[in-house]
Amino acid sequence: MHIEWKRRLIIMGIVAGVFVGYRFLLPAAIPFLAAWMLAAWLYPATVRIEKKTGIKKSLGGAVLLALVFGAAGLLLYLGAAELLSQLKTAVSNFPVLLRWGTVLLDKCCVAIEDMTGILREDSKSYILTQMAAMQDQLLAVVSPGTFVKLFSCVKGLLVAASGAVVTFILSILIIGDMENLRKKIWDYSWLVGTRRVVKRLKKTTVTYLKAQAVIMALVAVVCTVGFWLLGSPYFLILGIVLGALDALPLIGTGTFLYPAAVIFLVRGNAGIAAGCVALDIVTSLLREILEPRLLGGKLGVSPIAVLASVYIGVFLFGGFGVVLGPLSFSTIYEIGKEWDVWD
């Protein structure tokens, strides 16, 4: 009985420690982790540059980092500018969208009357009442508290900018002292268990999340190009949204594309409706082809377990819980496995 209670207390301690670590310590550690990953990625190139030209690794690393940060900043700027432009277009076209929605609503209410016998006036009145209630809720959000949230967003942007500067400087320092740092990490005996846990996480959850991120990015690109070819003025917004939807287990792009195809078919735009269906087929095939190649068919991750961990992660960590949920679950399991507490 004493051993059982000790085991339970250890499990509770692992769960609490992982939660505190990911919830409170990880945000502060992100610049250091990002700096280490960037340095590890660029270090082989700096070694080759030093051998061929004699330029020190730290200087070569600084030049490469400047190029990487410059390219990332340019892409981020262009993407943000295009996104804001499309949002502005959506706001300016709101009256047109409202008229389009009204016509669509009338057609749907006529179809409901034909199928169920419910008068079109009654169904339309009910739908408009619900939409009015949603509008009131949205207006309630625009309150003095909204400006506090806006200030918080600006503060977050400043923190992110300062974090990028710290990451840049740390990456240069790590590149210059990479060999010594790696030797120290391998020499510390108390890090042996930690290295085993990290190694197993890299083979399982990190591999899974990396594969999902790659697939999500490719699906977002395909959807963006697809909606651009279909003539949508909101191709970037829709591409990003569908890429995010595809990353969620058991949901996928069809959750949006098939209802959209039905709506366009009702409006008489059969070509766009067919394009939506074709886009879902292409993205589904893309996932079916890439997932086995990126994961190697070795993980056997249950979609139900992933969905549950994502849901709990969002509840505990907010939007970042999509990643931190599965990662926390796996970290708890691997630490418990290292300490031999799972009977």
Side-chain angles (χ1 to χ4, degrees):
M1 184 65 69
H2 173 72
I3 295 174
E4 179 63 20
W5 273 106
K6 182 179 179 180
R7 186 177 73 89
R8 293 181 182 180
L9 287 174
I10 291 174
I11 292 173
M12 292 172 61
I14 293 172
V15 173
V18 170
F19 172 74
V20 171
Y22 282 130
R23 180 69 177 83
F24 300 104
L25 300 180
L26 182 62
I30 284 177
F32 300 92
L33 295 173
W36 179 265
M37 288 188 289
L38 279 172
W41 176 46
L42 296 176
Y43 182 73
T46 61
V47 172
R48 289 194 295 270
I49 291 173
E50 187 178 43
K51 287 181 178 179
K52 291 182 179 180
T53 64
I55 298 174
K56 291 184 177 181
K57 290 190 287 290
S58 56
L59 180 57
V63 174
L64 292 176
L65 282 167
L67 293 174
V68 170
F69 273 71
L74 179 62
L75 289 175
L76 186 62
Y77 171 77
L78 294 175
E82 181 62 32
L83 192 63
L84 289 174
S85 174
Q86 292 186 18
L87 288 172
K88 182 179 178 180
T89 302
V91 172
S92 62
N93 288 340
F94 181 75
V96 177
L97 295 174
L98 185 61
R99 287 195 299 271
W100 174 77
T102 303
V103 173
L104 179 63
L105 177 61
D106 290 335
K107 291 183 178 180
C108 290
C109 291
V110 170
I112 291 172
E113 183 177 6
D114 293 337
M115 290 186 293
T116 65
I118 299 174
L119 295 177
R120 69 189 70 178
E121 292 82 6
D122 294 338
S123 59
K124 184 176 181 179
S125 175
Y126 174 77
I127 295 173
L128 290 176
T129 301
Q130 298 301 315
M131 291 177 65
M134 291 175 60
Q135 184 179 5
D136 292 338
Q137 292 177 359
L138 289 174
L139 290 175
V141 174
V142 183
S143 61
T146 306
F147 297 100
V148 175
K149 294 178 181 178
L150 182 61
F151 176 76
S152 177
C153 290
V154 174
K155 180 182 176 183
L157 290 174
L158 293 176
V159 171
S162 61
V165 174
V166 172
T167 300
F168 183 84
I169 296 172
L170 279 174
S171 300
I172 297 173
L173 296 176
I174 292 172
I175 288 174
D177 200 30
M178 178 66 80
E179 294 178 4
N180 187 36
L181 289 172
R182 283 178 172 173
K183 186 175 183 301
K184 287 183 177 180
I185 290 173
W186 282 102
D187 286 344
Y188 288 144
S189 58
W190 58 276
L191 287 176
V192 173
T194 304
R195 289 200 300 268
R196 283 198 295 261
V197 170
V198 171
K199 187 176 181 180
R200 290 197 297 267
L201 283 174
K202 286 175 66 177
K203 288 183 178 179
T204 56
T205 305
V206 173
T207 300
Y208 174 81
L209 292 174
K210 188 187 297 184
Q212 297 306 318
V214 171
I215 295 171
M216 180 184 72
L218 291 176
V219 167
V221 170
V222 170
C223 289
T224 299
V225 174
F227 281 112
W228 177 71
L229 292 174
L230 290 174
S232 172
Y234 317 112
F235 58 90
L236 184 59
I237 298 174
L238 294 173
I240 293 173
V241 170
L242 288 180
L245 282 176
D246 187 72
L248 297 176
L250 306 177
I251 296 180
T253 56
T255 306
F256 172 85
L257 287 172
Y258 284 110
V262 172
I263 291 172
F264 281 113
L265 192 61
V266 171
R267 289 190 63 203
N269 296 324
I272 298 180
C276 290
V277 174
L279 200 54
D280 180 70
I281 293 172
V282 170
T283 54
S284 298
L285 288 174
L286 184 66
R287 173 169 286 276
E288 290 296 325
I289 293 171
L290 290 178
E291 204 164 49
R293 292 178 179 272
L294 294 174
L295 298 178
K298 299 175 182 178
L299 296 182
V301 179
S302 169
I304 297 176
V306 174
L307 186 61
S309 62
V310 167
Y311 172 77
I312 296 172
V314 171
F315 180 77
L316 293 176
F317 302 108
F320 293 104
V322 174
V323 174
L324 292 181
L327 192 57
S328 299
F329 177 80
S330 296
T331 304
I332 291 169
Y333 174 76
E334 294 298 344
I335 293 175
K337 185 178 179 181
E338 183 66 27
W339 288 6
D340 197 22
V341 298
W342 306 123
D343 273 348

